[in-house]
Amino acid sequence: MDITKRRITKIAREVSRFAVRTLRRDGVGSGEFDVIHAIRKNPGITQAKICEITGLDKGAVARQTANLEEKGYLIRKENPADGRSRLLFATEKAEQLKNSKAHIEAKFYEWLLMPLSEPERAEFARILDILYYRCKEESKADFPEMSRIIKEGESNE
């Protein structure tokens, strides 16, 4: 039984919703932001690799990268290994957008924690760190424990 009632997910969704609404003023939608994020994390990435990372189809990625290039958020360079594809890189404008999203999220979380006392905030942050590092370790290992748990749950149904 999930005693959290998925509240971590629900809070993150609301923060993201607010950040996306705020970023739209810069002319960037949530799908475009996911593409920018993939490019920032993987400089010199191809559109095909963006499809793999984001789960978006080739047409959507092609439209979004064209729009983002036109808006000045990315640049394309020749791929020396494959003359048919181009490598994508984030521009300084994209880096500033990242900082803008991080700033928006940080302000939202600061506001959210305001009703807590300083000791409560510190304890919350301590516990959150435990959960975060556990999550990151599982992710870096390609989710072996969660895959096992899900698989066992499917076989019991």
Side-chain angles (χ1 to χ4, degrees):
M1 182 169 143
D2 176 19
I3 64 168
T4 71
K5 298 181 183 175
R6 299 181 51 250
R7 287 188 182 112
I8 295 169
T9 301
K10 292 173 183 178
I11 291 168
R13 187 181 305 134
E14 295 303 326
V15 172
S16 179
R17 213 171 110 214
F18 177 73
V20 166
R21 181 170 52 180
T22 304
L23 290 170
R24 277 195 193 123
R25 290 186 288 209
D26 292 330
V28 178
S30 61
E32 288 177 327
F33 190 82
D34 291 342
V35 170
I36 290 171
H37 183 73
I39 294 168
R40 283 189 55 260
K41 292 289 185 185
N42 304 279
I45 192 172
T46 63
Q47 285 186 181
K49 189 67 177 171
I50 292 172
C51 292
E52 287 178 35
I53 291 171
T54 63
L56 296 169
D57 66 54
K58 288 191 321 185
V61 170
R63 282 188 304 278
Q64 289 177 353
T65 54
N67 288 341
L68 290 168
E69 184 177 24
E70 187 177 306
K71 294 174 186 177
Y73 290 106
L74 66 87
I75 57 171
R76 297 173 194 264
K77 294 183 180 177
E78 295 291 325
N79 184 348
D82 178 2
R84 297 173 298 151
S85 69
R86 311 265 291 194
L87 303 178
L88 302 169
F89 296 87
T91 63
E92 183 58 34
K93 186 175 180 180
E95 292 299 326
Q96 290 171 356
L97 184 65
K98 171 252 178 190
N99 293 334
S100 174
K101 183 175 189 289
H103 176 75
I104 292 165
E105 291 171 344
K107 288 297 181 189
F108 196 106
Y109 286 121
E110 285 173 18
W111 170 82
L112 194 59
L113 295 175
M114 285 172 87
L116 302 179
S117 69
E118 193 54 45
E120 289 171 328
R121 285 184 218 161
E123 180 63 3
F124 177 75
R126 186 189 70 76
I127 293 168
L128 196 57
D129 275 349
I130 293 168
L131 300 177
Y132 173 76
Y133 289 113
R134 179 176 166 87
C135 179
K136 286 305 279 185
E137 287 174 16
E138 181 71 1
S139 174
K140 285 180 181 178
D142 199 27
F143 304 102
E145 290 298 312
M146 285 310 307
S147 296
R148 181 187 58 74
I149 290 167
I150 296 298
K151 189 173 184 172
E152 285 176 3
E154 290 170 353
S155 65
N156 292 336
E157 291 177 3

